[in-house]
Amino acid sequence: MAKAPSFEDAIKTLESCVEQLEQDDLPIDEALKHFETGVKNVQKCQKALEGARLKIEKLTRDQEQQLTTEPLDL
């Protein structure tokens, strides 16, 4: 089974798609392929960022002034 691309790989692919789409002479079928690839990579990045956000914890001090962690309140 193929390994899922990393967040950084998805960003690089997305940037490449944008560069291709910015070309004036890009045929419409190629533009659509790059657009579809870009949308998929945006979704991968959003999913990765959401996963990271859910893992974030804030550091606090308890009553004994000991450092503890708790889930980030949104």
Side-chain angles (χ1 to χ4, degrees), residues 1-61:
M1 184 172 184
K3 180 181 159 187
S6 69
F7 177 82
E8 291 78 11
D9 290 340
I11 289 289
K12 287 179 186 175
T13 301
L14 179 57
E15 289 172 345
S16 175
C17 289
V18 170
E19 288 175 10
Q20 293 295 318
L21 288 168
E22 289 176 338
Q23 294 181 9
D24 292 333
D25 60 345
L26 188 66
I28 190 71
D29 59 328
E30 285 185 47
L32 286 171
K33 287 179 187 177
H34 288 295
F35 182 78
E36 289 173 1
T37 300
V39 168
K40 288 178 185 177
N41 280 279
V42 165
Q43 292 170 339
K44 288 176 190 175
C45 291
Q46 288 174 329
K47 186 175 180 179
L49 289 172
E50 179 65 14
R53 184 190 67 78
L54 293 173
K55 291 180 182 180
I56 293 174
E57 296 178 328
K58 65 180 180 181
L59 196 57
T60 60
R61 292 195 182 269

